[in-house]
Amino acid sequence: MLFYLKVLRVYYRSVLSLTLPISALVLAAPLLMGTPLPSPLFLAVVQKMASFPALIYLIGQFRPQQYWLYRNLHLAPWQLWAGVIVLDTLLLSVAHRLLAFLVAL
Amino acid sequence: MPAKQHTLEADGIQVQFDNQNVLSGVYLRVQTGQVVALLGANGSGKSTLLQTVFGARVVPDASVRVDGYPVMPAYRQPGLMSYLPQTGLWPSGMALATAARLLGVSLVEALADFPTLQKQAVEGSTRAELSGGTGRLIQTLVLMARRSRFLLLDEPFSGVMPVHIEQLSSRLRAARVHSGILLTDHRYQPVLDVADVVYLLRHGRLQLLTEPRAELRDLGYLPD
């Protein structure tokens, strides 16, 4: 399990440049539209449903070589993405809390 | 006491691209203690075959077995198989030492017989900072140091300096003690020098060559 988390940290860092802008957009959209901030779970589900299938597909098409290291570490792409979804949801929740706090000020 | 011998077998592999059979009715056998060469023209399906054996490519009727037991996808079994792809094994910006550590290998030990490489591969340096051939050699040596039961190498000699090819060949021969090695490369001479068994992939079929050099010359794969 520790090894999986170590590898997941490396993989998440490699896709963070793609997931971070999407998370920022999802968080910023309600503020820009002047609507109340939805719950973090709702935002996470919307973000994952709307962007992750396309993201996973495009990475598989255009950067398939990135999986070789992880396959040599006995991990399938779905195992990496399952972890990324959990980590990204946690990150989104933290950012949501921070944003809600700042909005309330 | 000699190490127990293990046998990797793959068959039933049929792959089509654009309605053309790239692989059909392939049977492949690799034993620990052997270096098995897979030769063939560009686009003949060598990499596809290696990827299928490794388990990265799903082929419906394929069967990959070790000692008679199915192992699909093989890469999921710890210690069973390592694969050097044609493209980079790890991201070019990742530190060599970090990649080696993830793969459970000490970079210093992996490069033990290559002092010039050790100097180049200092802590923090990345594949992007090295020449293509040096990067290739380091990746191959790191994978070999893992001592997986089977090692699949796709073009390990590509871009590597002649002096290092000789050293790498010696290492491959030595690695037979603990691994079965399946390798493919366009540099036929070093491959033939190191191989115990030679297969030729031609028109989607795998042919076991009994007199590799003569047969390859007759078929036009080697100059007269």
Side-chain angles (χ1 to χ4, degrees), chain A residues 1-2 8 34 37 40 44 58-59 61 65 69 79 83 87 89:
Chain A
M1 189 63 184
L2 270 178
L8 183 62
L37 208 54
L58 290 172
I59 285 179
Q61 290 296 305
Q65 69 278 5
L69 172 65
Q79 291 176 295
L87 281 185
T89 301

Side-chain angles (χ1 to χ4, degrees), chain B residues 2-67:
Chain B
K4 185 180 182 295
Q5 200 171 50
H6 299 280
T7 306
L8 166 69
E9 291 172 293
D11 58 17
I13 299 171
Q14 303 208 18
V15 178
Q16 286 192 332
F17 290 138
D18 298 328
N19 289 328
Q20 292 222 331
N21 272 339
V22 175
L23 297 173
S24 58
V26 164
Y27 174 77
L28 176 73
R29 181 185 163 96
V30 183
Q31 286 183 303
T32 47
Q34 281 183 333
V35 176
V36 176
L38 181 60
L39 302 178
N42 281 335
S44 59
K46 302 184 297 293
S47 297
T48 303
L49 179 54
L50 290 188
Q51 288 167 12
T52 305
V53 172
F54 189 52
R57 184 180 285 273
V58 179
V59 175
D61 297 323
S63 169
V64 179
R65 304 176 301 278
V66 170
D67 300 333

Side-chain angles (χ1 to χ4, degrees), chain A residues 3 6-7 10 14 65-79, chain B residues 51 54 56 75-79 82-83 85 87-90 94 102-103 143 146:
Chain A
F3 179 73
K6 196 171 144 186
V7 175
V10 174
S14 76
Q65 69 278 5
Q66 67 161 355
Y67 292 128
W68 290 127
L69 172 65
Y70 304 100
R71 285 196 175 106
N72 271 291
L73 297 171
H74 320 299
L75 290 171
W78 71 264
Q79 291 176 295
Chain B
Q51 288 167 12
F54 189 52
Y75 71 82
R76 296 286 305 279
Q77 322 271 332
S82 292
Y83 171 62
T87 54
L89 171 59
W90 57 76
M94 181 181 278
L102 277 175
L103 288 160
L143 274 195
R146 298 183 86 197

